[in-house]
Amino acid sequence: MGGQYKITGDKYPRMRPARRRGRLAFLGVAGVTVLGVLGWGTLQLVDVFTGGDKASAAGAAGCAPSPKASAAPAAVKPPKPGQVTVNVLNATTRGGLAQKTADELKKRGFRVGEVSNAPKEYDKKVAGTGLLLGPAGSQKGSLTVLGTQLGGAEQRVDAARKGAEVDLIIGDAFKGLAKPADADAALTRLSAPQPTPAAEKKNC
């Protein structure tokens, strides 16, 4: 060949400037980028038109009713007044209180055992309205039932005591048993079943 190009050896001169390859590479990258942007925009449009359904499904899943709480084990019912035997003991200096109180308890359905003065360990030593004393296990049973008849009375359990009878030891502040209506209301509340925990509600 003539001109400015001269062939020597087994290598041939480049016929085009090398910078054109850089342009081709740039154009290829730009094309891929444009395609990527177009694809991303298409996906966004699809999400816009289908997003309502997804949101509804998510809301429905979030508002699904929570599982119901398991029923609480049935509580032990307190005994009825007719199942409770009460010893009425007077720890005051006022005479006749034990018998009067025992008669009133009998009218209210309780069984009455011993009616007497309090033993020395309690005689003139009970400052409150009264002291309710019973064997182990009676605090959630017969003592609680008897407590509905005398508000403010102290309750005590004697672990060494035998039998099922309970004592009502009349104290210095005693003015009488609770009014029948108040005592009946307290008994009703005591016998009412406890509500089981409700299932948690979600705001939709």
Side-chain angles (χ1 to χ4, degrees):
M1 294 177 63
Q4 60 177 335
Y5 295 103
K6 192 173 184 179
I7 300 174
T8 58
D10 56 355
K11 294 183 179 180
Y12 297 91
R14 294 181 178 177
M15 304 303 290
R16 296 179 181 177
R19 57 184 178 179
R20 291 186 179 179
R21 290 186 179 179
R23 290 181 181 178
L24 291 175
F26 172 76
L27 290 175
V29 172
V32 171
T33 303
V34 171
L35 290 175
V37 171
L38 290 175
W40 180 81
T42 304
L43 289 176
Q44 293 300 314
L45 289 175
V46 171
D47 287 342
V48 167
F49 289 105
T50 61
D53 295 337
K54 291 182 180 179
S56 300
C63 295
S66 34
K68 294 182 179 179
S70 57
V76 178
K77 290 185 178 180
K80 296 180 180 180
Q83 298 172 309
V84 180
T85 300
V86 186
N87 300 318
V88 185
L89 309 174
N90 186 4
T92 74
T93 56
R94 292 175 285 168
L97 280 183
Q99 188 60 57
K100 183 178 179 180
T101 303
D103 293 342
E104 183 62 29
L105 285 174
K106 189 179 292 185
K107 289 179 183 178
R108 299 184 184 191
F110 288 85
R111 294 179 180 178
V112 175
E114 180 185 356
V115 179
S116 178
N117 292 324
K120 287 184 179 181
E121 57 181 318
Y122 298 111
D123 190 27
K124 302 179 185 63
K125 296 177 182 177
V126 180
T129 58
L131 172 63
L132 309 183
L133 186 63
S138 62
Q139 196 162 18
K140 293 184 179 180
S142 52
L143 275 186
T144 305
V145 173
L146 180 58
T148 62
Q149 310 300 310
L150 184 58
E154 180 187 355
Q155 296 185 19
R156 263 188 225 171
V157 170
D158 184 358
R161 183 166 177 164
K162 305 297 181 182
E165 296 181 357
V166 293
D167 297 342
L168 190 165
I169 304 175
I170 300 172
D172 292 335
F174 180 82
K175 295 181 179 180
L177 296 175
K179 294 180 180 180
D182 294 338
D184 289 344
L187 275 173
T188 300
R189 289 194 299 270
L190 191 63
S191 303
Q194 298 299 320
T196 56
E200 183 182 356
K201 294 182 179 179
K202 293 186 178 181
N203 294 326
C204 299

